[in-house]
Amino acid sequence: MKATVLLVAGARPNYMKIAPIHWAYRNAARSTLAMEIVHTGQHYDPSLSDDFFRDLDLPAPSVNLGVGSGSHAEQTAKIMVGFERVLADKRPGMVVVVGDVNSTAACALVTAKAQYPDGARPLLVHVEAGLRSRDRTMPEEVNRVVTDALSDLCFTTCRDADANLLAEGVPAERIRFVGNPMIDSLVRCLERAADAALLRDLGLASRGFGLCTLHRPANVDHRESLGEILDALGAIAADMPVLLPLHPRTRQRVDAFDLGDRLLGLARPSRAHPSRGLFAIEPLPYFEMLQAMQHARFVLTDSGGIQEETTALGVPCVTLRPNTERPVTITDGTNVLAGTSRQGILEGLAEAQRKTARATGAPELWDGRAGERIVAVLDALAAGAEGGRRPARAHRAAAPLGEARWSDQ
Ligand code: UD1
């Protein structure tokens, strides 16, 4: 019998991480897996969800929990209640969670405690494990720590993540360095991105504009911090157009704090060929975002994933945060930590442009094949090729791979 594998996605940054796993599963000859996608519904706007499934050639989820927005506790709790029912119904052999959003931690908690009537338990697998900002005021950091502590198998994107997990006592047998699945999506979709209409519609030339994304609560939920960041962006935009695709959270805050006068609107197609100004636009679909990143002269962001995508593309990146869980983008890539003060941002921009010239290229195993490596490991586990066994449950004391026999269904 095939092993049912549930691939969980909840929010925008998850889709480009699950897609390469699903592509590799579909391409694998004689896979022993039966993979299904579960969407928690954490993100529900079409511009943050459906459009990405279409662009990334993902099938519709077999389940959508439709949890929507709420406080952290509300959202996490709703996902847990819904996902527990899904586990009881589908009895998967494995649950794969990706990244660090509330959906990741909620489904990890439920999976780690699940036991089927016959005593079998699902295996919990975390993709993009081991990243640490060491800043527990970030909800994502809490989600990462919790998820990794519970996971039976941790797939990592970089060597520093392996070191973080080992330092926290995760046995080496549970850690697999496989590379970065988000870069698989980027590699596969760059050609399609070249055909996107964004630059043409907006009258923008390659390297003739800047790009900024902002959504982190610490940056946008307070009037002073959001106002200071918009001031710095305004100074940068005095010389060239800067695009600001607005996340719904940021749009709400700009309105609530009455900061809309700092932003210009930009209709498409635009005949204006903007030469300067800070332009608020709708959230971009995946191909258009890739096109914008690839052709931007620089990117300013508080996102995690964009730090990695700009490093892979060789585009200067200024991170509007005091820390990062992705230090490889600083040591090997084009990223600079700038914080959120106006002066820090302006200095960071100059530094990012200088260091891009010296960047050493894509980090190890960011080669477009992480999804294949992940599916190969999962397939081998399900087929019993790893000694006919599965990794011991993470919450048992430091047990190596293979104490309990693989059992599915
Ligand atoms: C979430 C993730 C963050 C990720 C980001 C990418 C957590 C803790 N945070 O943050 O790591 O980088 O997604 O976008 O999981 N909203 C809509 N439509 C939607 C979704 C949200 O309007 O489809 C609005 C809601 O008012 C909501 C707010 O945006 O309250 C924030 O959404 P939420 O999912 O809670 O967190 P994000 O800020 O998107």
Side-chain angles (χ1 to χ4, degrees), residues 10-13 41-49 68-72 75 100-104 139-140 143 215-217 247-250 252-253 302-304:
R12 180 171 59 180
Q42 175 175 344
H43 282 179
Y44 45 89
D45 280 4
S47 65
L48 298 189
S49 187
S69 304
S71 70
H72 282 273
Q75 194 173 57
D100 56 16
V101 301
N102 285 343
S103 301
T104 311
E140 293 81 0
N143 292 337
H215 75 279
R216 233 157 253 295
H247 185 284
R249 171 194 284 277
T250 311
Q252 287 163 10
R253 298 303 189 268
D302 60 8
S303 149

mmCIF file of all heavy atoms in Angstrom, residues 10-13 41-49 68-72 75 100-104 139-140 143 215-217 247-250 252-253 302-304, ligand 1:
data_model
loop_
_atom_site.group_PDB
_atom_site.id
_atom_site.type_symbol
_atom_site.label_atom_id
_atom_site.label_comp_id
_atom_site.label_asym_id
_atom_site.label_seq_id
_atom_site.Cartn_x
_atom_site.Cartn_y
_atom_site.Cartn_z
ATOM 1 N N GLY A 10 -0.167 27.009 4.078
ATOM 2 C CA GLY A 10 -1.125 27.899 4.712
ATOM 3 C C GLY A 10 -1.054 29.324 4.218
ATOM 4 O O GLY A 10 -2.065 30.007 4.093
ATOM 5 N N ALA A 11 0.154 29.778 3.930
ATOM 6 C CA ALA A 11 0.348 31.196 3.626
ATOM 7 C C ALA A 11 1.269 31.346 2.423
ATOM 8 O O ALA A 11 1.976 30.413 2.046
ATOM 9 C CB ALA A 11 0.941 31.911 4.843
ATOM 10 N N ARG A 12 1.259 32.546 1.865
ATOM 11 C CA ARG A 12 1.964 32.778 0.603
ATOM 12 C C ARG A 12 3.371 32.191 0.526
ATOM 13 O O ARG A 12 3.695 31.532 -0.467
ATOM 14 C CB ARG A 12 1.979 34.291 0.313
ATOM 15 C CG ARG A 12 2.673 34.646 -0.972
ATOM 16 C CD ARG A 12 2.475 36.101 -1.343
ATOM 17 N NE ARG A 12 2.968 37.003 -0.329
ATOM 18 C CZ ARG A 12 2.919 38.330 -0.408
ATOM 19 N NH1 ARG A 12 2.394 38.915 -1.469
ATOM 20 N NH2 ARG A 12 3.385 39.097 0.555
ATOM 21 N N PRO A 13 4.230 32.401 1.534
ATOM 22 C CA PRO A 13 5.597 31.888 1.352
ATOM 23 C C PRO A 13 5.683 30.365 1.354
ATOM 24 O O PRO A 13 6.743 29.810 1.049
ATOM 25 C CB PRO A 13 6.361 32.484 2.544
ATOM 26 C CG PRO A 13 5.326 32.827 3.542
ATOM 27 C CD PRO A 13 4.072 33.145 2.778
ATOM 28 N N GLY A 41 -5.898 27.608 4.793
ATOM 29 C CA GLY A 41 -6.725 28.794 4.590
ATOM 30 C C GLY A 41 -6.249 29.994 5.393
ATOM 31 O O GLY A 41 -6.968 30.993 5.500
ATOM 32 N N GLN A 42 -5.011 29.927 5.953
ATOM 33 C CA GLN A 42 -4.484 31.096 6.678
ATOM 34 C C GLN A 42 -4.492 32.315 5.760
ATOM 35 O O GLN A 42 -4.908 33.400 6.167
ATOM 36 C CB GLN A 42 -3.069 30.798 7.204
ATOM 37 C CG GLN A 42 -2.421 31.997 7.866
ATOM 38 C CD GLN A 42 -1.064 31.700 8.499
ATOM 39 O OE1 GLN A 42 -0.693 30.555 8.715
ATOM 40 N NE2 GLN A 42 -0.325 32.754 8.813
ATOM 41 N N HIS A 43 -3.992 32.140 4.542
ATOM 42 C CA HIS A 43 -4.141 33.186 3.522
ATOM 43 C C HIS A 43 -5.252 32.770 2.573
ATOM 44 O O HIS A 43 -5.288 31.635 2.120
ATOM 45 C CB HIS A 43 -2.837 33.409 2.753
ATOM 46 C CG HIS A 43 -1.839 34.237 3.521
ATOM 47 N ND1 HIS A 43 -0.600 34.556 3.050
ATOM 48 C CD2 HIS A 43 -1.935 34.818 4.743
ATOM 49 C CE1 HIS A 43 0.043 35.305 3.936
ATOM 50 N NE2 HIS A 43 -0.745 35.469 4.983
ATOM 51 N N TYR A 44 -6.146 33.702 2.272
ATOM 52 C CA TYR A 44 -7.355 33.356 1.527
ATOM 53 C C TYR A 44 -7.614 34.312 0.376
ATOM 54 O O TYR A 44 -8.362 33.995 -0.536
ATOM 55 C CB TYR A 44 -8.576 33.346 2.463
ATOM 56 C CG TYR A 44 -8.581 34.558 3.373
ATOM 57 C CD1 TYR A 44 -9.184 35.742 3.001
ATOM 58 C CD2 TYR A 44 -7.880 34.521 4.576
ATOM 59 C CE1 TYR A 44 -9.121 36.865 3.814
ATOM 60 C CE2 TYR A 44 -7.817 35.633 5.395
ATOM 61 C CZ TYR A 44 -8.443 36.796 5.010
ATOM 62 O OH TYR A 44 -8.365 37.899 5.802
ATOM 63 N N ASP A 45 -7.005 35.520 0.394
ATOM 64 C CA ASP A 45 -7.180 36.410 -0.758
ATOM 65 C C ASP A 45 -6.626 35.700 -1.996
ATOM 66 O O ASP A 45 -5.527 35.135 -1.920
ATOM 67 C CB ASP A 45 -6.387 37.713 -0.566
ATOM 68 C CG ASP A 45 -7.103 38.709 0.329
ATOM 69 O OD1 ASP A 45 -8.177 38.358 0.856
ATOM 70 O OD2 ASP A 45 -6.576 39.819 0.508
ATOM 71 N N PRO A 46 -7.327 35.756 -3.138
ATOM 72 C CA PRO A 46 -6.788 35.102 -4.337
ATOM 73 C C PRO A 46 -5.359 35.553 -4.640
ATOM 74 O O PRO A 46 -4.520 34.768 -5.050
ATOM 75 C CB PRO A 46 -7.762 35.533 -5.441
ATOM 76 C CG PRO A 46 -9.035 35.840 -4.733
ATOM 77 C CD PRO A 46 -8.647 36.353 -3.373
ATOM 78 N N SER A 47 -5.069 36.847 -4.379
ATOM 79 C CA SER A 47 -3.732 37.357 -4.714
ATOM 80 C C SER A 47 -2.658 36.778 -3.792
ATOM 81 O O SER A 47 -1.469 36.877 -4.080
ATOM 82 C CB SER A 47 -3.704 38.883 -4.627
ATOM 83 O OG SER A 47 -3.912 39.293 -3.302
ATOM 84 N N LEU A 48 -3.063 36.183 -2.677
ATOM 85 C CA LEU A 48 -2.086 35.572 -1.768
ATOM 86 C C LEU A 48 -2.198 34.052 -1.793
ATOM 87 O O LEU A 48 -1.537 33.376 -1.009
ATOM 88 C CB LEU A 48 -2.300 36.053 -0.324
ATOM 89 C CG LEU A 48 -2.155 37.532 0.007
ATOM 90 C CD1 LEU A 48 -2.189 37.744 1.512
ATOM 91 C CD2 LEU A 48 -0.866 38.098 -0.558
ATOM 92 N N SER A 49 -3.080 33.503 -2.627
ATOM 93 C CA SER A 49 -3.264 32.053 -2.566
ATOM 94 C C SER A 49 -3.549 31.425 -3.927
ATOM 95 O O SER A 49 -2.645 30.892 -4.571
ATOM 96 C CB SER A 49 -4.387 31.728 -1.575
ATOM 97 O OG SER A 49 -4.466 30.349 -1.401
ATOM 98 N N GLY A 68 -8.838 31.332 7.871
ATOM 99 C CA GLY A 68 -8.852 32.789 7.780
ATOM 100 C C GLY A 68 -8.000 33.471 8.832
ATOM 101 O O GLY A 68 -7.139 32.855 9.455
ATOM 102 N N SER A 69 -8.274 34.760 9.027
ATOM 103 C CA SER A 69 -7.455 35.575 9.933
ATOM 104 C C SER A 69 -7.952 35.474 11.366
ATOM 105 O O SER A 69 -9.029 34.983 11.632
ATOM 106 C CB SER A 69 -7.503 37.032 9.498
ATOM 107 O OG SER A 69 -7.086 37.163 8.165
ATOM 108 N N GLY A 70 -7.160 36.002 12.271
ATOM 109 C CA GLY A 70 -7.520 36.027 13.690
ATOM 110 C C GLY A 70 -6.281 36.349 14.485
ATOM 111 O O GLY A 70 -5.213 36.555 13.918
ATOM 112 N N SER A 71 -6.418 36.381 15.809
ATOM 113 C CA SER A 71 -5.223 36.548 16.634
ATOM 114 C C SER A 71 -4.376 35.283 16.465
ATOM 115 O O SER A 71 -4.846 34.280 15.917
ATOM 116 C CB SER A 71 -5.623 36.713 18.101
ATOM 117 O OG SER A 71 -6.128 35.470 18.566
ATOM 118 N N HIS A 72 -3.154 35.321 16.960
ATOM 119 C CA HIS A 72 -2.301 34.126 16.822
ATOM 120 C C HIS A 72 -2.964 32.913 17.450
ATOM 121 O O HIS A 72 -2.975 31.821 16.877
ATOM 122 C CB HIS A 72 -0.933 34.371 17.453
ATOM 123 C CG HIS A 72 -0.048 35.193 16.572
ATOM 124 N ND1 HIS A 72 0.750 34.639 15.608
ATOM 125 C CD2 HIS A 72 0.112 36.531 16.475
ATOM 126 C CE1 HIS A 72 1.381 35.603 14.959
ATOM 127 N NE2 HIS A 72 1.010 36.757 15.469
ATOM 128 N N GLN A 75 -6.056 31.776 15.365
ATOM 129 C CA GLN A 75 -5.683 31.172 14.082
ATOM 130 C C GLN A 75 -5.040 29.800 14.317
ATOM 131 O O GLN A 75 -5.399 28.811 13.672
ATOM 132 C CB GLN A 75 -4.707 32.115 13.373
ATOM 133 C CG GLN A 75 -4.480 31.802 11.922
ATOM 134 C CD GLN A 75 -3.637 32.880 11.267
ATOM 135 O OE1 GLN A 75 -2.521 33.157 11.721
ATOM 136 N NE2 GLN A 75 -4.136 33.475 10.205
ATOM 137 N N ASP A 100 7.774 28.581 8.404
ATOM 138 C CA ASP A 100 7.684 29.030 9.795
ATOM 139 C C ASP A 100 6.402 29.800 10.112
ATOM 140 O O ASP A 100 6.376 30.598 11.042
ATOM 141 C CB ASP A 100 8.895 29.914 10.112
ATOM 142 C CG ASP A 100 9.020 31.087 9.139
ATOM 143 O OD1 ASP A 100 8.032 31.387 8.431
ATOM 144 O OD2 ASP A 100 10.098 31.702 9.092
ATOM 145 N N VAL A 101 5.355 29.602 9.325
ATOM 146 C CA VAL A 101 4.138 30.379 9.588
ATOM 147 C C VAL A 101 3.281 29.671 10.642
ATOM 148 O O VAL A 101 3.596 28.561 11.077
ATOM 149 C CB VAL A 101 3.334 30.638 8.289
ATOM 150 C CG1 VAL A 101 4.199 31.404 7.287
ATOM 151 C CG2 VAL A 101 2.814 29.362 7.670
ATOM 152 N N ASN A 102 2.199 30.303 11.061
ATOM 153 C CA ASN A 102 1.365 29.697 12.103
ATOM 154 C C ASN A 102 0.845 28.323 11.684
ATOM 155 O O ASN A 102 0.713 27.422 12.521
ATOM 156 C CB ASN A 102 0.193 30.622 12.438
ATOM 157 C CG ASN A 102 0.631 31.812 13.269
ATOM 158 O OD1 ASN A 102 1.709 31.810 13.855
ATOM 159 N ND2 ASN A 102 -0.203 32.840 13.320
ATOM 160 N N SER A 103 0.542 28.152 10.409
ATOM 161 C CA SER A 103 0.062 26.852 9.923
ATOM 162 C C SER A 103 1.110 25.763 10.140
ATOM 163 O O SER A 103 0.763 24.610 10.427
ATOM 164 C CB SER A 103 -0.251 26.935 8.428
ATOM 165 O OG SER A 103 -1.231 27.916 8.192
ATOM 166 N N THR A 104 2.375 26.113 10.003
ATOM 167 C CA THR A 104 3.468 25.144 10.168
ATOM 168 C C THR A 104 3.471 24.600 11.593
ATOM 169 O O THR A 104 3.466 23.383 11.821
ATOM 170 C CB THR A 104 4.826 25.841 9.881
ATOM 171 O OG1 THR A 104 4.737 26.559 8.661
ATOM 172 C CG2 THR A 104 5.958 24.848 9.849
ATOM 173 N N PRO A 139 7.045 36.075 15.759
ATOM 174 C CA PRO A 139 6.216 34.863 15.835
ATOM 175 C C PRO A 139 6.816 33.713 15.020
ATOM 176 O O PRO A 139 6.716 32.553 15.427
ATOM 177 C CB PRO A 139 4.875 35.295 15.236
ATOM 178 C CG PRO A 139 4.974 36.721 14.873
ATOM 179 C CD PRO A 139 6.306 37.251 15.290
ATOM 180 N N GLU A 140 7.470 34.039 13.918
ATOM 181 C CA GLU A 140 8.041 32.981 13.071
ATOM 182 C C GLU A 140 9.138 32.213 13.803
ATOM 183 O O GLU A 140 9.314 31.019 13.585
ATOM 184 C CB GLU A 140 8.598 33.564 11.769
ATOM 185 C CG GLU A 140 7.548 34.134 10.828
ATOM 186 C CD GLU A 140 7.103 35.538 11.191
ATOM 187 O OE1 GLU A 140 7.614 36.109 12.196
ATOM 188 O OE2 GLU A 140 6.252 36.095 10.489
ATOM 189 N N ASN A 143 7.570 29.723 15.997
ATOM 190 C CA ASN A 143 7.074 28.620 15.162
ATOM 191 C C ASN A 143 8.206 27.686 14.734
ATOM 192 O O ASN A 143 8.044 26.463 14.710
ATOM 193 C CB ASN A 143 6.355 29.171 13.927
ATOM 194 C CG ASN A 143 5.059 29.885 14.280
ATOM 195 O OD1 ASN A 143 4.475 29.635 15.340
ATOM 196 N ND2 ASN A 143 4.599 30.773 13.406
ATOM 197 N N HIS A 215 5.871 43.767 5.538
ATOM 198 C CA HIS A 215 4.649 43.242 6.171
ATOM 199 C C HIS A 215 4.853 42.829 7.612
ATOM 200 O O HIS A 215 3.906 42.486 8.299
ATOM 201 C CB HIS A 215 4.103 42.043 5.387
ATOM 202 C CG HIS A 215 4.901 40.794 5.598
ATOM 203 N ND1 HIS A 215 6.061 40.550 4.928
ATOM 204 C CD2 HIS A 215 4.710 39.741 6.422
ATOM 205 C CE1 HIS A 215 6.559 39.394 5.311
ATOM 206 N NE2 HIS A 215 5.769 38.879 6.227
ATOM 207 N N ARG A 216 6.111 42.838 8.093
ATOM 208 C CA ARG A 216 6.347 42.287 9.418
ATOM 209 C C ARG A 216 5.696 43.156 10.499
ATOM 210 O O ARG A 216 5.815 44.386 10.476
ATOM 211 C CB ARG A 216 7.840 42.196 9.657
ATOM 212 C CG ARG A 216 8.248 40.822 10.068
ATOM 213 C CD ARG A 216 9.646 40.460 9.836
ATOM 214 N NE ARG A 216 9.709 39.542 8.736
ATOM 215 C CZ ARG A 216 9.196 38.320 8.737
ATOM 216 N NH1 ARG A 216 8.589 37.838 9.807
ATOM 217 N NH2 ARG A 216 9.289 37.554 7.674
ATOM 218 N N PRO A 217 4.986 42.506 11.448
ATOM 219 C CA PRO A 217 4.304 43.282 12.487
ATOM 220 C C PRO A 217 5.215 44.310 13.144
ATOM 221 O O PRO A 217 4.806 45.455 13.349
ATOM 222 C CB PRO A 217 3.859 42.207 13.493
ATOM 223 C CG PRO A 217 3.746 40.939 12.685
ATOM 224 C CD PRO A 217 4.751 41.063 11.571
ATOM 225 N N HIS A 247 1.183 44.267 0.953
ATOM 226 C CA HIS A 247 0.550 43.157 1.659
ATOM 227 C C HIS A 247 -0.716 43.697 2.351
ATOM 228 O O HIS A 247 -0.724 44.853 2.802
ATOM 229 C CB HIS A 247 1.561 42.645 2.688
ATOM 230 C CG HIS A 247 1.142 41.423 3.430
ATOM 231 N ND1 HIS A 247 0.211 41.449 4.437
ATOM 232 C CD2 HIS A 247 1.529 40.135 3.331
ATOM 233 C CE1 HIS A 247 0.042 40.219 4.916
ATOM 234 N NE2 HIS A 247 0.828 39.413 4.257
ATOM 235 N N PRO A 248 -1.784 42.878 2.455
ATOM 236 C CA PRO A 248 -3.022 43.392 3.072
ATOM 237 C C PRO A 248 -2.807 43.987 4.464
ATOM 238 O O PRO A 248 -3.393 45.020 4.808
ATOM 239 C CB PRO A 248 -3.923 42.148 3.155
ATOM 240 C CG PRO A 248 -3.395 41.183 2.156
ATOM 241 C CD PRO A 248 -1.937 41.496 1.975
ATOM 242 N N ARG A 249 -1.927 43.357 5.252
ATOM 243 C CA ARG A 249 -1.669 43.889 6.596
ATOM 244 C C ARG A 249 -1.113 45.306 6.505
ATOM 245 O O ARG A 249 -1.530 46.207 7.244
ATOM 246 C CB ARG A 249 -0.663 42.977 7.316
ATOM 247 C CG ARG A 249 -0.162 43.538 8.641
ATOM 248 C CD ARG A 249 1.058 42.776 9.138
ATOM 249 N NE ARG A 249 0.746 41.480 9.713
ATOM 250 C CZ ARG A 249 0.339 41.296 10.972
ATOM 251 N NH1 ARG A 249 0.194 42.321 11.779
ATOM 252 N NH2 ARG A 249 0.083 40.101 11.421
ATOM 253 N N THR A 250 -0.177 45.524 5.592
ATOM 254 C CA THR A 250 0.472 46.835 5.471
ATOM 255 C C THR A 250 -0.526 47.872 4.962
ATOM 256 O O THR A 250 -0.557 49.011 5.439
ATOM 257 C CB THR A 250 1.690 46.725 4.536
ATOM 258 O OG1 THR A 250 2.462 45.602 4.946
ATOM 259 C CG2 THR A 250 2.546 47.967 4.584
ATOM 260 N N GLN A 252 -3.705 47.894 5.422
ATOM 261 C CA GLN A 252 -4.586 48.258 6.548
ATOM 262 C C GLN A 252 -3.907 49.274 7.465
ATOM 263 O O GLN A 252 -4.523 50.231 7.929
ATOM 264 C CB GLN A 252 -4.922 47.023 7.391
ATOM 265 C CG GLN A 252 -5.903 46.057 6.757
ATOM 266 C CD GLN A 252 -5.855 44.683 7.441
ATOM 267 O OE1 GLN A 252 -5.226 44.509 8.496
ATOM 268 N NE2 GLN A 252 -6.513 43.705 6.839
ATOM 269 N N ARG A 253 -2.620 49.048 7.751
ATOM 270 C CA ARG A 253 -1.911 49.933 8.684
ATOM 271 C C ARG A 253 -1.672 51.323 8.077
ATOM 272 O O ARG A 253 -1.782 52.331 8.772
ATOM 273 C CB ARG A 253 -0.571 49.314 9.113
ATOM 274 C CG ARG A 253 -0.698 48.016 9.853
ATOM 275 C CD ARG A 253 -1.582 48.146 11.101
ATOM 276 N NE ARG A 253 -1.521 46.961 11.919
ATOM 277 C CZ ARG A 253 -2.366 45.931 11.822
ATOM 278 N NH1 ARG A 253 -3.361 45.963 10.949
ATOM 279 N NH2 ARG A 253 -2.241 44.883 12.612
ATOM 280 N N ASP A 302 11.429 43.149 4.359
ATOM 281 C CA ASP A 302 11.490 42.525 5.680
ATOM 282 C C ASP A 302 11.044 41.060 5.599
ATOM 283 O O ASP A 302 10.800 40.420 6.612
ATOM 284 C CB ASP A 302 10.682 43.315 6.722
ATOM 285 C CG ASP A 302 9.200 43.428 6.384
ATOM 286 O OD1 ASP A 302 8.733 42.777 5.436
ATOM 287 O OD2 ASP A 302 8.502 44.188 7.106
ATOM 288 N N SER A 303 10.960 40.537 4.380
ATOM 289 C CA SER A 303 10.585 39.138 4.180
ATOM 290 C C SER A 303 11.783 38.232 4.447
ATOM 291 O O SER A 303 12.927 38.660 4.369
ATOM 292 C CB SER A 303 10.116 38.977 2.729
ATOM 293 O OG SER A 303 10.403 37.698 2.233
ATOM 294 N N GLY A 304 11.529 36.969 4.730
ATOM 295 C CA GLY A 304 12.612 35.996 4.830
ATOM 296 C C GLY A 304 13.016 35.478 3.463
ATOM 297 O O GLY A 304 14.182 35.536 3.071
HETATM 298 C C1 UD1 B 1 2.102 35.533 7.501
HETATM 299 C C2 UD1 B 1 3.236 34.799 8.220
HETATM 300 C C3 UD1 B 1 4.578 35.397 7.804
HETATM 301 C C4 UD1 B 1 4.714 35.418 6.302
HETATM 302 C C5 UD1 B 1 3.532 36.179 5.708
HETATM 303 C C6 UD1 B 1 3.631 36.235 4.201
HETATM 304 C C7 UD1 B 1 2.702 33.935 10.475
HETATM 305 C C8 UD1 B 1 2.890 34.159 11.909
HETATM 306 N N1 UD1 B 1 3.139 34.935 9.677
HETATM 307 O O1 UD1 B 1 2.092 36.859 7.996
HETATM 308 O O2 UD1 B 1 5.616 34.609 8.345
HETATM 309 O O3 UD1 B 1 5.936 36.051 5.942
HETATM 310 O O4 UD1 B 1 2.334 35.520 6.104
HETATM 311 O O5 UD1 B 1 2.577 36.947 3.661
HETATM 312 O O6 UD1 B 1 2.189 32.918 10.071
HETATM 313 N N2 UD1 B 1 -5.011 39.103 5.296
HETATM 314 C C9 UD1 B 1 -5.832 39.337 4.219
HETATM 315 N N3 UD1 B 1 -5.932 38.363 3.286
HETATM 316 C C10 UD1 B 1 -5.275 37.177 3.382
HETATM 317 C C11 UD1 B 1 -4.457 36.956 4.497
HETATM 318 C C12 UD1 B 1 -4.316 37.927 5.444
HETATM 319 O O7 UD1 B 1 -6.443 40.374 4.085
HETATM 320 O O8 UD1 B 1 -5.428 36.346 2.465
HETATM 321 C C13 UD1 B 1 -4.873 40.157 6.315
HETATM 322 C C14 UD1 B 1 -5.722 39.875 7.505
HETATM 323 O O9 UD1 B 1 -6.348 41.025 7.918
HETATM 324 C C15 UD1 B 1 -4.726 39.427 8.563
HETATM 325 C C16 UD1 B 1 -3.448 40.125 8.132
HETATM 326 O O10 UD1 B 1 -3.523 40.257 6.715
HETATM 327 O O11 UD1 B 1 -5.113 39.766 9.832
HETATM 328 C C17 UD1 B 1 -2.250 39.327 8.488
HETATM 329 O O12 UD1 B 1 -2.336 37.956 8.011
HETATM 330 P P1 UD1 B 1 -1.665 36.751 8.813
HETATM 331 O O13 UD1 B 1 -1.758 35.498 8.040
HETATM 332 O O14 UD1 B 1 -2.156 36.748 10.179
HETATM 333 O O15 UD1 B 1 -0.140 37.144 8.898
HETATM 334 P P2 UD1 B 1 0.805 37.762 7.802
HETATM 335 O O16 UD1 B 1 1.150 39.137 8.245
HETATM 336 O O17 UD1 B 1 0.275 37.576 6.419
#
